[in-house]
Each structure stands twice: as structure tokens, then as C-alpha cells.
Amino acid sequence: MIKAVVADPPHFDRKAGGGPVLKVFSVVRYRFFLYAGLLPYLLGTAWAYGMEGTFKPGIFWTGFLGIFLSVVGVESFNEYFDSRMGTDRVFNPEDEDPIPDWVLWAGIAAFAAAASVGLYLAVAGGWPIVLYTLLGGLAAVFYVGPPIRWVYRGLGETMIGLSYGPWMTLGSLHLQTGRFSWGALLASAVPGLLIMALAVVNAIPDFHQDRLVGKRNIVVRVGRLNGVKVYLLLAALGLLAPVVGVALGLFPPATLATLLAAPLLYWSGREGFKTYDTPRDFIGAVRFIVVGYIAGTTLFTAALVLNRWFA
């Protein structure tokens, strides 16, 4: 779903040997799993523990398995369908061979297993778990997969923000407490808006490729310079969510520590405005937002846990 990372992880040669497990993990970017898939799930659990005094280890680890399987499915589908659409090979079609069909089947198997985990958890958690599983599944399977292809319809960033914001955070919370929380909904804006900003900044270097293959993402629609302004606005709103929550009495004051990530946003913007039209130099802007997402969400999550310890 999001391909820009601090540095690309090592990939196994698709023509080389190796067992099926190694082949699957060569597709799944471990950094993607770390900062995209794990942090919102931990945030929901931290809200349950820090704000409502509830933590169920068995449920937590079962849900963790479901998140992992979902990320395997997302990455497999994205790799496969981007390869078939030629997104990553527009200007250098001979650079690498198309992704093999086993990647698609690995994604299908992972999504089926994740859905099974979701249904298992729904037995104890009720119909909201089915709803969160269904919403997340629709976003993940059809992000680049036919027939919907959210990213080609201009809804890719929105689906990313919803999936890794409210849907995952509230789903994680519901697993622990069986309840909805307006405070947790506002809390989900921290990872949701920050990762949506990351989706936008990630598309800036790929502007020409995405436009040629028909992706209707925000950067294609508004241009690269305006794309820098959009991702900075989204990230700023994500970091300001704790300020709103504290002012409303929904968050403990310690969550204002999230603002310590603000300099990373400034540094990203400084690099972004200088290098938005030179993709090779733009990596600095992307790195600062990646670290900003990790730092901001982690600080917010840690503040919720500490609220339980020191309240």
C-alpha cells in the first residue's frame, strides 16, 4: 500500500531458490508492517489499557496475527497488481520481470486466513468486529485490486487513512473492551492523518508514472508542489489532534508529548519544497515523515500507557 520506507529492505531474487516462506517474506516489507500495521493496533490496545483499565493478552495476540496476515495480503496484492499494470516499470520496462502468480495466491491465502481470524474474534467481540474486518478487507483487497481499484478512483489516500486510523484503532479497542469510544476515535486521527500524509508524500516522486498508468491520487490531481502542501497540512492536523483532545478533556496532558515530533514535519517540509521536482533528492522529505509518523504515534501511545501507571 505504501512503498516508500526509510531504506528499501533487502529483496530476494525472484528467480533464485529458497523456500516458500522466504519468498513470501521477500515480498512483505518488514518496515511497512512495523510502522503501518502495528502502531495503530497498539494505539487501540493502549487506549483500552491506559484509559479504561482493560487488557486481554490472548485477544491481543490473536488480533496481532490477523493484522500480520492482512499486511501480507496487502503487500502481495500491491506487488502483483502494480506489476501487472506496469506502474513501477513505466520508464524502464526491462528492469525486472513481472511478479509471478504465486504472489497473488499468497495474498489470497493471507486475506482468507485474516478473515478467518476476524470471524473467530467476532464470536467473542460481536458484530462490530465483523464490521471492522469487512471495512478493512474492502480497503485492502481493492486498494489496487480489481474491480474497484481505490487508488485509480482517487480514493487511495482516504482508504489508507481510514484503515490505519479509525478502523484499526477502534477495532483493536473493541477487542479489548467491547465498546466504542469517542475519545479513541479522535485519538485515531493521530496515526490516520499522519499515514495519509505519508501516502501523499510517497506519491510525489512517482508523479509521472502514476499519471501515465491512470492512478488518480492526490498528487496526480493537484500537482507535486501542491502535494507537498497537502501532506504537510495532513501531518500537522495529525500532530494537533492531541491538543484538541486535551482541550476537550478527552486525553491526558501527557499526550501533548506527541508535539515533540513537530520538528520532523518542519524538516520534511524544508526538504520537500526544495526537491519536489527532483525525485532522487526527495527521499529526505519522505524519511522525515516516516520518522515523524513513528515518533508521533509512539509518543501518543506511550503517554496513554503511562497515564495508567501514574494517574
Side-chain angles (χ1 to χ4, degrees):
M1 191 176 290
I2 299 174
K3 292 187 177 180
V5 291
V6 176
D8 284 338
H11 290 279
F12 293 92
D13 187 342
R14 293 180 187 125
K15 295 181 179 179
V21 174
L22 289 181
K23 290 181 178 180
V24 170
F25 276 87
S26 72
V27 173
V28 179
R29 292 172 173 83
Y30 63 89
R31 289 183 180 89
F32 176 90
F33 172 65
L34 174 65
Y35 67 73
L38 181 58
L39 292 179
Y41 181 75
L42 290 178
L43 174 56
T45 303
W47 183 277
Y49 176 73
M51 302 298 289
E52 304 191 30
T54 300
F55 177 64
K56 302 173 182 176
I59 293 294
F60 171 81
W61 287 112
T62 304
F64 185 94
L65 174 61
I67 296 299
F68 174 77
L69 291 168
S70 296
V71 172
V72 172
V74 167
E75 284 294 277
S76 298
F77 267 44
N78 288 353
E79 289 284 342
Y80 181 81
F81 287 111
D82 271 349
S83 174
R84 288 300 185 267
M85 295 295 292
T87 305
D88 299 328
R89 298 180 292 116
V90 170
F91 299 117
N92 299 287
E94 304 302 325
D95 272 1
E96 54 182 85
D97 296 330
I99 296 289
D101 288 342
W102 68 260
V103 175
L104 173 63
W105 289 107
I108 292 173
F111 279 132
S116 298
V117 172
L119 292 175
Y120 170 78
L121 291 171
V123 173
W127 68 264
I129 298 301
V130 177
L131 177 61
Y132 292 126
T133 301
L134 179 61
L135 290 173
L138 288 174
V141 173
F142 298 117
Y143 180 75
V144 292
I148 300 176
R149 300 186 190 273
W150 297 115
V151 72
Y152 289 88
R153 297 176 182 270
L155 294 171
E157 298 91 349
T158 300
M159 288 298 165
I160 288 172
L162 290 172
S163 296
Y164 295 102
W167 294 345
M168 190 174 292
T169 302
L170 294 176
S172 175
L173 171 66
H174 192 91
L175 285 176
Q176 295 293 324
T177 67
R179 295 188 300 272
F180 173 84
S181 167
W182 288 106
L185 177 61
L186 179 58
S188 73
V190 176
L193 289 168
L194 285 173
I195 205 165
M196 193 172 176
L198 181 51
V200 176
V201 71
N202 182 65
I204 291 175
D206 296 333
F207 171 74
H208 293 295
Q209 296 98 307
D210 289 346
R211 185 173 61 175
L212 287 172
V213 300
K215 287 186 177 181
R216 297 291 299 162
N217 56 45
I218 289 174
V219 176
V220 167
R221 285 179 286 165
V222 305
R224 288 181 290 186
L225 177 57
N226 286 330
V228 173
K229 299 175 183 177
V230 169
Y231 89 73
L232 291 175
L233 175 62
L234 290 169
L237 291 174
L239 293 181
L240 287 174
V243 177
V244 176
V246 170
L248 294 175
L250 297 173
F251 300 167
T255 57
L256 293 176
T258 307
L259 295 175
L260 293 174
L264 295 162
L265 176 58
Y266 167 77
W267 294 328
S268 177
R270 184 182 60 183
E271 292 296 313
F273 282 118
K274 289 192 301 184
T275 63
Y276 67 88
D277 58 349
T278 52
R280 290 184 180 276
D281 299 325
F282 192 73
I283 187 63
V286 178
R287 284 174 174 167
F288 281 125
I289 288 295
V290 169
V291 178
Y293 169 80
I294 296 171
T297 307
T298 300
L299 286 167
F300 186 81
T301 302
L304 294 176
V305 174
L306 292 175
N307 180 66
R308 175 68 176 173
W309 293 352
F310 298 106

